[in-house]
């Protein structure tokens, strides 16, 4: 049997089948006679080259992906704001952060008692705080600027049993419970020695008052309402009035207009 093949001039010629078989057999014998090291070296070089090509393709693909994926600017700084636990829950934190984002600011908010917030301001862990104290810069020992948006206006109360006492100055030996970290009352009780600072705010103070572990307590109107109001047999005496605002470290004063815009949107979103 003969097969057709082409010569160098492109013309067909008849090639015996036995010639092709013989040629294939001779090629195989040459490969078999090839030293093992040479054969393996060629195979290894081929595998190494293939791996290099594959790695290069993967690297280029990764680099190109950075060009098409959205990224956060390395220069963008997120403000870290502490919000009092008694006013804020997770839903409000999310609303607050969204309002700030819509105003053009990246803000990360967290729940934090004010005593910790002041320490965090000093250590540089946060950049701002919700606070009800005009002398916050003095307390924090840092230059700070208040926002122009009012977050709340509250009365501060002395709560104790019905009787002749009408203010802090009438106290003598009574044990006075004070919310741990509250700044609005810090100067009011400076001259009174028999004080117990209580964590968990008004809720714990109410419990201690009912158990007789303290004789009186200080709280703000908002916290008192949250915990059921004035207990039977007790009275709430107004001893202070204060405004709650947001504060920023003075280094961020240039972005205060945007900060106030976000704060206003947040207050609207929570119905205030």
């Amino acid at each position: 049997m003969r097969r057709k093949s082409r010569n160098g001039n492109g013309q067909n010629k008849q090639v015996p089948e036995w010639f092709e078989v013989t040629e294939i057999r001779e090629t195989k014998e040459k490969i078999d006679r090839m030293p093992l090291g040479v054969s393996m070296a060629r195979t290894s070089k081929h595998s190494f080259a293939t791996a290099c090509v594959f790695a290069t393709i993967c690297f280029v693909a990764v680099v190109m992906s950075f060009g098409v994926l959205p990224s956060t600017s390395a220069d963008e700084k997120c403000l870290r704001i502490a919000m009092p636990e008694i006013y804020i829950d997770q839903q409000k934190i999310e609303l607050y952060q969204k309002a700030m984002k819509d105003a053009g600011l990246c803000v990360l908010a967290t729940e934090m008692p004010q005593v910790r917030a002041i320490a965090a301001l000093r250590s540089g862990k946060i950049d701002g705080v919700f606070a009800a104290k005009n002398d916050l810069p003095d307390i924090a020992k840092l230059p700070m600027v208040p926002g122009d948006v009012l977050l709340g206006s509250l009365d501060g109360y002395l709560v104790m049993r019905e009787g002749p006492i009408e203010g802090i100055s009438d106290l003598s030996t009574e044990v006075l419970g004070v919310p741990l970290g509250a700044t609005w009352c810090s100067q009011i009780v400076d001259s009174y020695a028999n004080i117990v600072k209580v964590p968990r705010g008004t809720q714990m103070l109410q419990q201690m008052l009912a158990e007789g572990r303290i004789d009186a307590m200080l709280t703000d109107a908002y916290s008192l309402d949250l915990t059921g109001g004035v207990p039977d047999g007790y009275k709430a005496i107004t001893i202070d009035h204060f405004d709650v605002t947001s504060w920023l470290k003075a280094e961020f004063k240039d972005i205060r207009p945007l900060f106030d815009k976000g704060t206003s949107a947040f207050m609207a979103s929570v119905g205030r």
Side-chain angles (χ1 to χ4, degrees):
M1 181 176 179
R2 294 180 178 270
R3 297 179 181 271
K4 290 184 178 181
S5 179
R6 293 182 180 270
N7 58 19
N9 298 323
Q11 298 176 342
N12 292 332
K13 68 176 182 176
Q14 300 296 322
V15 180
E17 184 177 8
W18 62 266
F19 180 81
E20 292 184 351
V21 173
T22 302
E23 186 178 23
I24 292 172
R25 185 181 298 113
E26 290 176 353
T27 303
K28 180 178 183 302
E29 289 174 355
K30 289 180 181 179
I31 294 174
D32 291 341
R33 290 196 301 271
M34 184 181 295
L36 181 60
V38 175
S39 177
M40 291 181 63
R42 290 183 179 179
T43 303
S44 177
K45 289 180 180 179
H46 177 73
S47 299
F48 178 76
T50 302
C52 288
V53 171
F54 179 77
T56 302
I57 293 173
C58 291
F59 176 76
V60 172
V62 170
V63 171
M64 291 180 65
S65 70
F66 284 110
V68 297
L69 292 176
S71 59
T72 302
S73 170
D75 297 329
E76 182 179 11
K77 177 177 176 60
C78 290
L79 294 173
R80 300 157 298 174
I81 306 297
M83 308 173 82
E85 295 172 309
I86 60 173
Y87 300 117
I88 298 300
D89 54 30
Q90 186 58 38
Q91 181 182 9
K92 289 180 180 178
I93 286 178
E94 292 173 0
L95 289 173
Y96 181 71
Q97 292 180 161
K98 182 181 183 303
M100 288 298 178
K101 182 178 179 181
D102 292 343
L105 294 176
C106 176
V107 171
L108 300 176
T110 183
E111 299 177 50
M112 190 178 294
Q114 285 202 341
V115 66
R116 284 179 50 204
I118 291 173
L121 281 168
R122 292 171 181 164
S123 65
K125 293 181 179 178
I126 61 173
D127 306 304
V129 63
F130 282 21
K133 199 66 179 174
N134 290 332
D135 58 355
L136 180 64
D138 295 332
I139 297 174
K141 295 180 173 57
L142 288 170
M144 301 192 71
V145 292
D148 289 334
V149 179
L150 183 65
L151 299 174
S153 186
L154 301 172
D155 287 329
Y157 292 134
L158 168 65
V159 178
M160 63 181 310
R161 287 191 179 277
E162 295 283 0
I165 292 179
E166 295 297 332
I168 296 290
S169 60
D170 295 329
L171 299 177
S172 55
T173 60
E174 290 83 3
V175 178
L176 177 63
V178 178
L180 179 64
T183 57
W184 66 268
C185 56
S186 57
Q187 290 184 344
I188 296 175
V189 296
D190 274 350
S191 59
Y192 192 71
N194 203 6
I195 290 177
V196 176
K197 294 184 178 181
V198 179
R200 291 173 50 195
T202 301
Q203 181 180 4
M204 178 61 77
L205 287 169
Q206 291 267 40
Q207 181 178 337
M208 294 177 67
L209 197 63
E211 294 172 353
R213 296 162 61 188
I214 58 175
D215 302 307
M217 72 179 199
L218 297 184
T219 185
D220 63 83
Y222 182 82
S223 301
L224 189 60
D225 287 342
L226 284 180
T227 55
V230 181
D232 292 338
Y234 289 78
K235 62 182 179 180
I237 304 166
T238 302
I239 59 172
D240 197 10
H241 182 84
F242 51 87
D243 295 332
V244 180
T245 57
S246 51
W247 292 75
L248 288 175
K249 289 182 178 178
E251 63 192 89
F252 300 109
K253 63 181 180 180
D254 291 341
I255 64 172
R256 188 169 58 174
L258 292 178
F259 192 73
D260 286 341
K261 180 181 178 181
T263 303
S264 295
F266 165 68
M267 295 301 290
S269 68
V270 295
R272 295 186 187 178

